[in-house]
Amino acid sequence: MKHTRIFLYLSTFFIGISASIAQAIMIRELLTLFRGNELSIGIIMVLWFAGIAAGAAVSKKTTLHQSYIAYIILLHPVMLLLSIVMLYCIPLVYTTYGSFYSLEAELVIALLCLFPQCFVVGYIFPLLVSTVSALKIRYPGSIVFFLESSGACMGGIIFTFLFIQKFNPISTALILFIAASFIAFTHLQQRIKRVAIVTAIVLAAFIIVHSDALEKKLLTLSFAANHPGTLIEYRRTPYQMMFVAELDNTIALYGNSNLYAQFPDDYSVRPIIHALISTGSLLKNSNILISGDTAFLQYVFAYAGASIDYVTVDPVMWNMLQQQFHILYPDFSTEKIIVHYDDTRNYMKFAQKEYNAIIILPPPPDSILHNRLYTTEFFNDCKKHLSANGVCIIQIEGFANIMNTSLRRYVASVVNSFRQVFPSSLISSGDTIYCIGFNDNQKINVSNYLSEYINTFSKNPVAKTIQKFVPGFKPQEFQMYFQPSQLEYLDNQLKSENIINSDSLPKGYFEYLANSLQQSGSFAQDVISNPLYMIIILILTICLSFLYFKSRGSQHILFGIIIFITGFISMAAMLIAFIAYQNVYGVLYYKIALCNALFMSGLAIGSATTFMQKDFFLTRIILLVVALLMLFYFTISHNAILFYVSITLIAATTGSFIPLLLKKLPDDIQLLASTINASDHIGALCGALVTPFVLLPVFGMYSLWILLITGIILAYFRKMIC
Amino acid sequence: MLVTGSLFPLFPGSIFASNYRQAMHWKKIDAQTVECNLCPNQCILQSGNKGVCKARQCIDGRLYSLVYGRIAAYHIDPIEKKPLYHFLPGNEALSVATAGCNFSCKFCQNWQLSQSHPEELESRYITPEQLVNQAKQNKTPVIAFTYNEPSVQYEYIYDTVQIAKKYNIACVIISNGYLNKNASQLLYPLLNAIKIDFKAYSQKFYSEICGGNLSPVLANIELAKKNNVWLELVNLVIPTLNDSPDDIKAMARFIKTHCGSTTPLHFTRFYPIYKLKNIPPTPVSTLEHARQIALAEGLKYVYIGNVPGHTANHTYCHNCGKPVIERSGFYTTTHIRKSGKCPYCNTAIPGIWNL
């Protein structure tokens, strides 16, 4: 009896660890394969929850032997391993040279890779609850939920501080398999099974030793099938998967499969050099802040006498750039370049320095993370750091000859935001639009400005220095970005759009996304651009779930609704919290494991509170409302402690409802665990669907008020279950 | 190509037929079916269906142009932007475009025009007379049918060109060269200049990346030259997809043999766009290498485009090698004589220098 109990507890704890590590690995690896924005994350999360919900829903009353649990915990890391190998092999079979996978393809790939392993995680929960319950232990639901959450919390910590740095995904899956094998070994008594397990452990250890070579081979082949050039190096940094490729004497740098930089390329940054010199900047002894994946600008400006502060989040990225740059340009010195390894937004928030010029060249706003560098709030932060006659220069993706609706709205949202902060500004036109914002309030006339630049260029002391390093550099060239008829067209287009891109309502991101989807010819564009479609999907999901669980009786329906609501709130609140946090502090990816660990510890704490006799149903709801209010206050005050406390509290309150309700029907516990676990993940699934596509585009951060009202609705069920 | 359905069969009835200009180059197959003979796609269309180009539709057993005069993009561009480097340098062109294209290039810079249906784009109706008048008012000596594939507005160009001639306004097309012989034989002699995108010397590239075929393009390049229309060719070099030295060599040979060694060839730089967003820009060294190959094959005027400030943007006299036109972006400094001769050695530089 004691032996069985320990086995069950270990298995529960292990499945928590294994599931959370699998989630972290799959998100990272899928984002390397996909384009890596919120849509991809949305697809991953939705399928993750769908898999667990499906597994839980079909895990009804069974009379399975306990050994079955041992097989399931062995199966999970094996499925993870297969998914990883499948992810490495898909680009070899399904090549999309030079293009990203369509959203539909992402959906199918993620489904194949995620659904089976998530199904197992969902399937085992009711089974564990039922088996623990059979041992006549009090509050079996609370125990299983507590152990699984604690395991997930532990998994997050181990992954961040050990696996991510020391092991590749194949090894990680195999280490999990070895751990599962040890647990199974304690339970499976037959000699033949034990011999099989030992053999599997030896085989796994052998593959671990050779996994680096295997991974390198697979990644090199898949890179070659989808990208030009030869893969020289790849590295997993805390932020992304970096690929370095050589292409006809140039180096191309990819982060999560997105092309970030290519050099040597002194041609593509020339407009920025023109933009800065045209403002009359003398460079000598001036302070310039640069953010963006470039190296040439830093070196040229530093060479011309300026002090450069370069902000980049990923040290590995800069080291790779610098290393290659020195080979190509051995004459350049790095003395006047100070590198700050920080998120640009975070740096701007807390830096004290004043700059003569701030040059921001982020990737396009294809994710909310990147969009933060195109918002009114960020431009205001930039302005605060400019000297009296300082300039801020940004570039955005523009248009060739016409703009469709989404492109027009995207460009308008960013340019309007920029102009709002810099009323005195110069906006170019064309494939790339350059925006030059002046801190002083001079009135700009485009043709006079350009004429003055052309006439005074030769008098600028840095002209010769620049011309030495940038071949054929002439001020007349700058005119091509201010073609009168294109400027007129742009002005007319912008007049019709009065929208702003802000942190709380990231219009630029949504419009950019709509435009990207239109380019890829994806049907998802219609779904995304019209929130109504998502609401229809939501209603359909709810109706189908209701029909499925209807036969289980009214109490199951009632409990299912409650858990659906808590699942929905927790997912939606977490997504909003993450975006709000990201807006202020930058790359959440780096701290995602900490956030997950806090969320999971919140679930564990929540389930621990259900060991008590009393329900405290109303107290939990009040605490949930308080947590949502704290989160909303965080979006205004930007106090990080509020963020950490609120997500823990949201998890503790919403998570506590699962074990709480599991106490209510002890005689029907496996079926109830099935209903509740499935409802929780259906709720989370709906939260993951509705938040990025309906709540955020329409209400922005104010969506939290909708969640708050939804949370209060929970109080309505108080009398029904108490 | 049999077109069995249309995504947007919005104008199926004869009520709307009066809004459109009846197309040229088609034949009736039966009462409700026509075959479009404008381009090698040879679309067979039943009433209500549109061609691959999205710009021509069969309405009640007749073929109509949906884009006649429906101008969706209108700009005044430097002629160098086309790029036409040996045709009235330093001048501006009134540039117009409609929706639609008979290709589906994954790297199309103007995908919003070329891959749209006419009814999806805001457009204004400009008659050929009005267009010529606007060119006169704007003092642009050239009208350029550009951005999307101009042959989809074949009838409009055909009408405009004849009016423009009366006012000494030049007409040029910036085309993919994907036109049937009958159609090009009728149109090309009326034009003053043609720029053809020679996308690759590879059938595989044309079929997989552009949705077309190489041979009709080759035929039209030859035909343009035979008709004495000023011809310039552009090859957008995309890393790995069409930058093989062998293909570039074969392309240069073809041009030399069929169009002459003085036909300008522009190797332009690819930037990630539309469906090819995850390919790095073409390394400048690749373009320089391509240029060297073409020069070695005997072509005299080989340029590098989309690389502002590059020395291969300038025009060098093929005899003395001195720069006769210097370019910085779209800004030009012309040293060439009005007669079109090199100021240093008096050699005639091929091109159209005056109207």
Side-chain angles (χ1 to χ4, degrees), chain A residues 514 517-518 522-534:
Chain A
L517 289 172
Q518 192 178 347
S522 170
F523 76 83
Q525 189 220 343
D526 295 332
V527 179
I528 283 158
S529 52
N530 190 348
L532 198 65
Y533 287 109
M534 208 48 82

Side-chain angles (χ1 to χ4, degrees), chain A residues 175-191:
Chain A
I175 290 167
L176 286 175
F177 175 75
I178 292 172
S181 301
F182 280 118
I183 297 170
F185 190 86
T186 60
H187 186 72
L188 300 172
Q189 302 296 323
Q190 294 98 320
R191 191 186 167 92

Side-chain angles (χ1 to χ4, degrees), chain A residues 98-99 248 257 401 404 483, chain B residues 75 77 110 112 240 275 278 286:
Chain A
S99 307
D248 202 359
S257 283
N401 292 294
N404 61 15
Q483 214 183 299
Chain B
H75 291 291
D77 291 337
N110 285 296
Q112 301 191 39
T240 321
K275 293 190 175 180
N278 215 20
T286 306

Side-chain angles (χ1 to χ4, degrees), chain A residues 266-561:
Chain A
D266 44 13
Y267 289 96
S268 61
V269 291
R270 289 164 80 113
I272 300 290
I273 301 175
H274 281 297
L276 184 62
I277 311 281
S278 69
T279 63
S281 180
L282 295 174
L283 292 180
K284 202 160 179 66
N285 301 324
S286 61
N287 290 323
I288 300 176
L289 176 87
I290 300 176
S291 164
D293 306 317
T294 164
F296 194 76
L297 275 185
Q298 289 90 311
Y299 283 97
V300 168
F301 290 151
Y303 197 84
S307 296
I308 307 294
D309 279 331
Y310 174 51
V311 187
T312 181
V313 76
D314 201 334
V316 177
M317 174 100 157
W318 172 248
N319 287 338
M320 284 177 164
L321 271 169
Q322 206 181 23
Q323 198 182 326
Q324 302 292 340
F325 206 88
H326 278 308
I327 299 167
L328 298 164
Y329 298 98
D331 292 345
F332 281 101
S333 146
T334 52
E335 273 172 32
K336 297 197 92 175
I337 304 173
I338 302 164
V339 186
H340 304 271
Y341 296 118
D342 199 349
D343 169 72
T344 306
R345 190 74 194 261
N346 196 41
Y347 178 82
M348 281 300 198
K349 196 90 198 155
F350 301 105
Q352 300 294 324
K353 214 166 165 181
E354 197 171 77
Y355 294 98
N356 304 94
I358 294 175
I359 300 169
I360 307 291
L361 311 169
D366 54 359
S367 68
I368 291 184
L369 177 72
H370 294 149
N371 185 66
R372 301 152 51 244
L373 302 176
Y374 293 88
T375 60
T376 316
E377 292 87 342
F378 177 62
F379 297 147
N380 269 317
D381 281 346
C382 292
K383 195 173 184 176
K384 281 178 200 159
H385 289 85
L386 282 180
S387 60
N389 56 354
V391 289
C392 176
I393 300 168
I394 65 159
Q395 66 177 34
I396 60 170
E397 203 173 307
F399 63 99
N401 292 294
I402 65 157
M403 292 195 270
N404 61 15
T405 309
S406 49
L407 182 63
R408 182 176 65 234
R409 289 175 64 80
Y410 148 64
V411 170
S413 71
V414 178
V415 171
N416 290 345
S417 304
F418 190 80
R419 276 179 172 158
Q420 194 181 66
V421 177
F422 296 103
S424 172
S425 57
L426 192 67
I427 312 291
S428 80
S429 68
D431 292 323
T432 304
I433 294 174
Y434 300 95
C435 305
I436 310 170
F438 300 88
N439 205 11
D440 51 9
N441 281 329
Q442 52 178 303
K443 207 165 177 133
I444 309 286
N445 174 292
V446 179
S447 60
N448 292 347
Y449 182 90
L450 293 174
S451 303
E452 200 183 327
Y453 172 47
I454 292 165
N455 295 334
T456 57
F457 177 75
S458 57
K459 291 171 200 153
N460 193 318
V462 298
K464 283 209 164 68
T465 314
I466 299 288
Q467 280 176 325
K468 186 179 168 191
F469 287 100
V470 190
F473 190 87
K474 284 185 182 168
Q476 288 85 351
E477 184 186 299
F478 198 38
Q479 289 172 313
M480 69 190 284
Y481 305 101
F482 296 91
Q483 214 183 299
S485 77
Q486 286 222 335
L487 284 180
E488 194 186 329
Y489 173 78
L490 179 65
D491 260 359
N492 288 335
Q493 293 288 307
L494 296 188
K495 268 179 205 158
S496 61
E497 297 293 352
N498 199 19
I499 51 173
I500 294 289
N501 187 32
S502 68
D503 284 353
S504 50
L505 205 48
K507 286 280 181 199
Y509 161 67
F510 291 113
E511 297 299 343
Y512 186 85
L513 206 60
N515 189 43
S516 302
L517 289 172
Q518 192 178 347
Q519 288 179 52
S520 66
S522 170
F523 76 83
Q525 189 220 343
D526 295 332
V527 179
I528 283 158
S529 52
N530 190 348
L532 198 65
Y533 287 109
M534 208 48 82
I535 293 169
I536 292 169
I537 294 173
L538 176 76
I539 293 169
L540 269 177
T541 311
I542 294 171
C543 291
L544 287 173
S545 310
F546 180 79
L547 287 175
Y548 183 82
F549 293 112
K550 207 175 86 177
S551 60
R552 296 187 183 183
S554 60
Q555 269 194 304
H556 279 258
I557 294 291
L558 174 68
F559 291 177
I561 291 170

Side-chain angles (χ1 to χ4, degrees), chain B residues 118-136:
Chain B
E119 64 275 12
E120 291 173 324
L121 296 179
E122 281 176 29
S123 62
R124 53 179 160 155
Y125 183 68
I126 302 176
T127 63
E129 292 81 5
Q130 285 169 337
L131 189 69
V132 173
N133 273 335
Q134 287 175 17
K136 272 167 38 191

